Amino acid sequence: MRCSCMNCGVYMIQSDDAHLGCVCPECGNRCTACLGTNTVMDKETVKSLKSDPFLASMLLERFSEDNEQS
């Protein structure tokens, strides 16, 4: 995975050590944003997404695109 450093903008590379994430070769900043860590949602949060109109419109749009491609 490659992403840019939040501190200096240089492309970061995934670390190969025990600490998961990316490391900036320029400033040494470490980041786990691209790994999706700390993004687990609890059951109530997932349930609340059911009534989110934005999410519903995105899903409907995706389904209609899939049907058009078939």
Side-chain angles (χ1 to χ4, degrees):
M1 180 69 65
R2 284 178 118 21
C3 51
S4 12
C5 178
M6 304 274 287
N7 288 336
C8 66
V10 171
Y11 280 112
M12 298 171 71
I13 55 174
Q14 194 169 14
S15 67
D16 290 331
D17 57 17
H19 183 105
L20 292 177
C22 295
V23 179
C24 177
E26 188 68 28
C27 70
N29 181 46
R30 296 185 77 96
C31 177
T32 58
C34 64
L35 299 177
T37 54
N38 297 326
T39 58
V40 175
M41 293 186 280
D42 62 21
K43 191 175 183 179
E44 295 305 314
T45 304
V46 173
K47 280 184 179 179
S48 73
L49 293 175
K50 183 178 180 180
S51 61
D52 184 341
F54 179 71
L55 181 61
S57 67
M58 283 185 2
L59 288 173
L60 289 173
E61 185 176 310
R62 179 174 286 170
F63 287 136
S64 62
E65 287 175 0
D66 289 345
N67 287 335
E68 289 173 4
Q69 291 177 359
S70 298

